[in-house]
Amino acid sequence: KAGVTQTPRYLIKTRGQQVTLSCSPISGHRSVSWYQQTPGQGLQFLFEYFSETQRNKGNFPGRFSGRQFSNSRSEMNVSTLELGDSALYLCASSLAGQGWDGYTFGSGTRLTVV
Amino acid sequence: GDSVTQMEGPVTLSEEAFLTINCTYTATGYPSLFWYVQYPGEGLQLLLKATKADDKGSNKGFEATYRKETTSFHLEKGSVQVSDSAVYFCALLDYTGTASKLTFGTGTRLQVTL
């Protein structure tokens, strides 16, 4: 059974550019969440999607956006990149919409902004 | 808001030593609780979970008991191995009925030596 797949694994972007990250959840999982991991702030919640609807959003500026497609695949976009956006971005999926079964995480996309 | 507090690391142990990583939480209601582990260069792996008071989660020799009276979920293992060296995160699930998200502690790095 395939796990959560995130692409690309690594990205280097320049300040001011935009970036799109992709996440394919485990087959059958309809809930997809995104987290940002940095050494200074730790793991912070970005968004949660369920059946193509954003159900929850963390405390991030509007430059961070996302969406979910009908096949449950999700993308997140960051526009006008800043140096502080350098982080590991993790996607997680859950079978149960409530998350009680525990989320399965992907390996992440390491974004470096220079 | 919800929060999770973990003991500061790093924790350095000799192989076969007993491990305890403390975790306490603050939340309204009775959230589900999780321990995740992160190996270098990888995403988070669900280690164990507990969904209600007095539940004991266990996996791969690790255990944690959901203590409502002390709002704690301490991780224990009787005999650690070098392969257990990783960063361990305690997390709680905030489910509002329409949306869910994980709130993580800061992580505790465990280093096991021969």
Side-chain angles (χ1 to χ4, degrees):
Chain A
K1 180 173 169 180
V4 177
T5 303
Q6 291 188 248
T7 55
R9 284 297 307 273
Y10 302 93
L11 267 178
I12 300 176
K13 290 287 188 178
T14 304
R15 272 183 304 173
Q17 287 186 314
Q18 75 163 18
V19 67
T20 299
L21 312 181
S22 179
C23 171
S24 294
I26 291 174
S27 178
H29 285 197
R30 295 164 63 193
S31 173
V32 174
S33 298
W34 289 87
Y35 292 82
Q36 181 196 64
Q37 185 177 25
T38 60
Q41 299 298 317
L43 283 152
Q44 293 188 286
F45 171 76
L46 280 157
F47 332 95
E48 183 214 7
Y49 289 90
F50 185 80
S51 293
E52 302 180 65
T53 300
Q54 186 181 89
R55 297 200 303 187
N56 205 356
K57 189 177 192 304
N59 188 25
F60 279 82
R63 300 185 296 107
F64 291 80
S65 63
R67 59 179 176 170
Q68 186 180 34
F69 301 95
S70 59
N71 61 358
S72 294
R73 191 177 70 85
S74 178
E75 290 180 346
M76 67 164 283
N77 185 77
V78 188
S79 62
T80 320
L81 284 165
E82 300 177 358
L83 295 179
D85 297 333
S86 296
L88 179 67
Y89 290 87
L90 293 165
C91 170
S93 73
S94 171
L95 176 62
Q98 308 90 340
W100 297 335
D101 55 324
Y103 285 90
T104 301
F105 282 79
S107 297
T109 293
R110 172 77 60 185
L111 172 64
T112 302
V113 182
V114 298
Chain B
D2 295 348
S3 65
V4 176
T5 302
Q6 284 183 240
M7 59 188 289
E8 291 284 332
V11 173
T12 303
L13 295 172
S14 298
E15 199 169 48
E16 298 184 0
F18 184 85
L19 168 71
T20 299
I21 300 178
N22 291 336
C23 170
T24 56
Y25 67 90
T26 301
T28 53
Y30 304 107
S32 295
L33 300 172
F34 304 88
W35 276 100
Y36 283 87
V37 58
Q38 187 174 35
Y39 297 98
E42 298 184 14
L44 303 176
Q45 295 179 24
L46 177 62
L47 184 58
L48 53 83
K49 65 181 180 183
T51 57
K52 61 183 187 298
D54 299 325
D55 265 3
K56 177 185 281 189
S58 62
N59 186 28
K60 299 180 182 179
F62 291 90
E63 292 183 342
T65 301
Y66 190 159
R67 301 288 188 199
K68 183 179 68 173
E69 62 278 8
T70 55
T71 62
S72 64
F73 192 54
H74 305 322
L75 182 68
E76 297 182 334
K77 186 176 186 184
S79 176
V80 294
Q81 306 299 311
V82 171
S83 58
D84 293 327
S85 298
V87 181
Y88 292 81
F89 292 91
C90 184
L92 67 81
L93 178 71
D94 176 12
Y95 176 62
T96 63
T98 57
S100 63
K101 71 172 186 178
L102 290 168
T103 297
F104 288 91
T106 53
T108 302
R109 182 176 301 277
L110 170 66
Q111 186 168 344
V112 181
T113 59
L114 290 171

